[in-house]
Amino acid sequence: MIVIDKILSAEEVNTYREILANAPWNDGSKTAMGMAASVKNNNQADASNTHVRQLANQLLARIGETPKLVSAALPHKIFPPCFNRYSETEEYGYHVDAAVMRIPDTNEVIRSDISMTTFLSEPEEYEGGELIISTEFGQQAIKLPAGYAVVYPSSSLHKVTAVTKGQRVAAITWMQSMISESSIRQNLYQLDQTIQTLIQEGKTSRTELDNLHNVYHNLIRQFTQL
Ligand code: NI
């Protein structure tokens, strides 16, 4: 589970909020499948709306421009982000995200390896509405400042607790990683982050950095599934 600070600036968050406040919203349970639909009680911005689609495309592009996120997720395909809103009493009970999803209006399918939530409401704006992820170390409750995102394995059971006051707006998306196995992804992430730190510190020779870089790319070559 990795937190991405400020994937959207405060100014961008304001723009998103303004556009979404004026966008058409639908019942969120309509877009969930099978068992997830029965526990989903929220609203989703109409993805066919031009303004909503523009925001989704902008966030999609931002994912590819965020080095820490690319390093952690190694995305191959990304589902266009959806925007959801939880008002008072609304929640999304424990569920797993569908393993395979069709990208709307295309014949393309993606395998969901990684889920990402981008918070668009400040924590002070609502009570409840925590993203709870069930991990091998127990439950982790996540509530981040507006503009921050969390990525976590799509294979984990998770839920959004009921909002008891205010409103919680967020963007969600899923990624198919070039590396399906999360433990390998984690090791690659650690390796890349360490290389980046060494580069910034400027004390490691070019030859050593080249060697590390070579190892990193060879590992990606070895494990990538495209
Ligand atoms: Ni989910």
Side-chain angles (χ1 to χ4, degrees):
M1 198 179 327
I2 289 158
V3 171
I4 311 290
D5 296 4
K6 295 181 186 159
I7 188 166
L8 295 173
S9 69
E11 211 170 55
E12 287 169 327
V13 168
N14 286 339
T15 308
Y16 276 56
R17 291 287 299 273
E18 222 173 277
I19 290 170
L20 290 170
N22 295 309
W25 290 77
N26 302 322
D27 179 353
S29 65
K30 300 232 160 34
T31 53
M33 293 199 306
M35 286 170 65
S38 62
V39 292
K40 189 176 184 187
N41 176 18
N42 65 6
N43 282 273
Q44 198 157 305
D46 184 350
S48 66
N49 177 272
T50 317
H51 303 289
V52 173
R53 195 179 299 168
Q54 276 170 1
L55 292 186
N57 286 336
Q58 200 207 333
L59 187 53
L60 190 66
R62 182 59 54 82
I63 291 171
E65 296 161 356
T66 307
K68 187 181 175 186
L69 184 50
V70 172
S71 174
L74 294 167
H76 173 40
K77 296 179 190 174
I78 306 172
F79 195 94
C82 312
F83 298 93
N84 59 31
R85 186 179 69 192
Y86 295 79
S87 302
E88 267 175 50
T89 75
E90 292 180 341
E91 66 184 315
Y92 195 168
Y94 264 125
H95 65 281
V96 274
D97 295 338
V100 175
M101 304 174 175
R102 182 175 296 278
I103 295 182
D105 306 320
T106 71
N107 287 323
E108 189 143 11
V109 290
I110 77 161
R111 180 191 63 231
S112 63
D113 295 319
I114 296 156
S115 304
M116 173 170 134
T117 298
T118 306
F119 290 78
L120 295 172
S121 301
E122 293 295 355
E124 311 82 73
E125 287 180 75
Y126 60 99
E127 283 170 20
E130 273 119 355
L131 171 63
I132 308 278
I133 302 169
S134 176
T135 75
E136 55 183 311
F137 309 112
Q139 290 188 346
Q140 300 244 20
I142 297 154
K143 194 179 211 178
L144 297 172
Y148 284 52
V150 61
V151 289
Y152 56 98
S154 302
S155 54
S156 49
L157 262 176
H158 56 275
K159 68 174 175 182
V160 175
T161 64
V163 168
T164 54
K165 201 176 174 190
Q167 219 172 45
R168 174 196 192 268
V169 182
I172 47 163
T173 189
W174 300 269
M175 298 175 221
Q176 178 174 332
S177 178
M178 296 190 284
I179 311 284
S180 66
E181 175 59 46
S182 69
S183 60
I184 300 172
R185 246 183 358 250
Q186 271 174 39
N187 282 323
L188 286 167
Y189 175 66
Q190 295 296 341
L191 178 56
D192 183 48
Q193 294 301 296
T194 305
I195 294 171
Q196 298 311 320
T197 305
L198 291 176
I199 291 172
Q200 271 165 25
E201 286 175 353
K203 292 178 196 156
T204 312
S205 77
R206 174 70 202 228
T207 315
E208 305 305 320
L209 287 175
D210 280 347
N211 283 340
L212 281 174
H213 229 174
N214 197 25
V215 169
Y216 175 72
H217 283 276
N218 284 339
L219 288 169
I220 290 193
R221 240 174 236 117
Q222 194 174 345
F223 291 109
T224 291
Q225 297 166 324
L226 296 178

